Amino acid sequence: MPEIIYGSLIAEKCRTETAEKTAHLKKRTGKAPRLDVIIAGDNPASRIYVRNKEKAAANTGIVSIVHALPVETPRENLLQRIAELNENPEVNGILVQLPLPNPEDEKIVTQAVSPDKDVDGFHPLNLGRLMLREDGFTPCTPRGCMRLIHSVLPDISGLNAVVIGRSTIVGKPMAQLLLNADATVTTTHSKTTDLPSVCRRADILVAAVGIPRFVKAGWVRDGAVVIDVGINRLENGTLCGDVDFEAVLPKCRAITPVPKGVGPMTIAMLMENTVEAFCRQNGIDPAQRTNPSL
Ligand code: NAD
């Protein structure tokens, strides 16, 4: 029977573990981890994401401060705010909610966040560390996808993994994480020829494209594990992923749904990254667990 991997349930477990860790850190240091989120403008989707992040922080004992800036905020002011947060020792993690009103600001603003507080993992230094398998911050969505994959395949060494999409926030770090875990990885994109036959080689197929129900049943090898990162809003207001879920489900060993799949994991991983930032900034080994059985 194909298994549906409910990221919502796994994220809940991660949040419980993070809350326990935060409580322990608070007892040990007298401080709680703190995440500062900068949001510029009034993009409705961004506002919902930021509200969800605040909720998750509250549930895990993390202090979250939202800096809501007007849409016309000049780049210099954004950079000034980031510089202040970089220097403030009370702040452990900084996240700039994307997209920014002016997309041209995104690169310079992302790179202005201190790599030690870059809990989104988008700074070039952290992306480089990921490539070098050194300690740093891993982008939250691919990190969450790896947890979901490992929930059904604890060892992926030697398996064929295909990633559809090569964005900096999902596709590329996803491929790197799979490679770091010793999978044989193929990254595909809009210029890939004969994508269906490339996908049919996959033991693990990750779709991060942004096209509703793009991946068809005929593209999926029997027994594959399918991770659907896509979040697409249909005209009737409902959400669907990049995978034709109903058709693909019977062919899989396991598959993530949309919603309740990858989405909740992204925020859970952001909380974990914030706790890791706190630990590193306070000289505590982030791997240290409050309860070794967790
Ligand atoms: P993006 O637009 O930056 O990248 C899309 C990628 O898909 C590109 O690399 C492009 O080459 C590839 N692509 C486009 N058309 C293609 C085609 N016909 N064949 C093969 N590849 C093709 O998007 P993104 O930021 O990586 O996001 C991808 C999807 O994941 C979106 O639906 C987004 O909403 C979703 N997303 C979800 C989460 C989450 O938390 N679940 C987080 C980030 C993004």
Side-chain angles (χ1 to χ4, degrees):
M1 270 295 279
E3 180 180 343
I4 299 180
I5 310 170
Y6 284 104
S8 46
L9 298 179
I10 297 174
E12 188 56 48
K13 267 172 78 179
C14 296
R15 274 197 299 272
T16 304
E17 192 178 327
T18 301
E20 284 175 13
K21 210 163 179 175
T22 306
H24 171 76
L25 290 167
K26 227 169 163 176
K27 243 191 240 161
R28 183 168 162 182
T29 65
K31 297 181 289 188
R34 172 173 153 181
L35 170 67
D36 282 48
V37 177
I38 297 176
I39 174 167
D42 47 13
N43 179 317
S46 294
R47 277 167 176 260
I48 294 171
Y49 291 141
V50 169
R51 216 172 310 131
N52 288 340
K53 285 166 190 168
E54 280 183 283
K55 234 191 271 170
N59 288 338
T60 47
I62 292 172
V63 174
S64 78
I65 310 279
V66 176
H67 305 257
L69 306 178
V71 67
E72 65 279 3
T73 305
R75 180 189 290 181
E76 297 67 41
N77 295 23
L78 269 173
L79 294 174
Q80 175 62 30
R81 184 67 63 105
I82 291 169
E84 286 162 15
L85 298 177
N86 282 343
E87 276 166 31
N88 184 346
E90 302 293 312
V91 177
N92 305 113
I94 302 170
L95 180 149
V96 182
Q97 184 64 47
L98 302 178
L100 289 172
N102 179 4
E104 284 173 17
D105 289 345
E106 286 181 5
K107 190 171 165 193
I108 188 161
V109 164
T110 307
Q111 296 189 7
V113 173
S114 161
D116 297 333
K117 299 187 177 185
D118 167 41
V119 285
D120 248 344
F122 296 160
H123 191 284
L125 198 67
N126 282 317
L127 291 168
R129 284 171 175 154
L130 176 62
M131 181 168 268
L132 297 170
R133 302 180 80 162
E134 290 175 1
D135 280 347
F137 294 108
T138 306
C140 301
T141 300
R143 181 176 167 162
C145 291
M146 285 305 284
R147 288 284 173 89
L148 299 180
I149 293 167
H150 282 313
S151 75
V152 287
L153 295 172
D155 180 7
I156 65 167
S157 172
L159 296 184
N160 286 325
V162 173
V163 180
I164 316 178
R166 57 173 163 186
S167 71
T168 307
I169 61 168
V170 189
K172 281 187 209 161
M174 185 72 239
Q176 190 62 50
L177 283 169
L178 289 161
L179 183 62
N180 290 356
D182 297 327
T184 302
V185 185
T186 307
T187 301
T188 67
H189 46 79
S190 54
K191 302 287 188 286
T192 298
T193 52
D194 197 4
L195 184 59
S197 72
V198 179
C199 291
R200 277 193 288 272
R201 295 206 297 262
D203 302 304
I204 300 166
L205 181 61
V206 181
V209 193
I211 304 176
R213 301 188 184 118
F214 181 66
V215 175
K216 309 296 179 210
W219 302 17
V220 177
R221 165 191 275 201
D222 283 337
V225 170
V226 178
I227 305 294
D228 190 350
V229 183
I231 302 178
N232 306 293
R233 194 166 288 282
L234 301 176
E235 272 177 14
N236 64 10
T238 59
L239 289 183
C240 84
D242 289 345
V243 177
D244 187 352
F245 181 86
E246 302 298 337
V248 168
L249 175 70
K251 299 199 72 178
C252 299
R253 166 163 177 198
I255 182 168
T256 60
V258 178
K260 297 192 176 169
V262 173
M265 290 301 289
T266 298
I267 295 188
M269 295 301 102
L270 176 66
M271 299 304 128
E272 288 196 8
N273 277 353
T274 304
V275 171
E276 279 188 23
F278 177 92
C279 289
R280 291 199 191 117
Q281 288 156 32
N282 285 278
I284 299 167
D285 175 7
Q288 208 178 311
R289 294 183 186 278
T290 46
N291 177 351
S293 68
L294 286 173

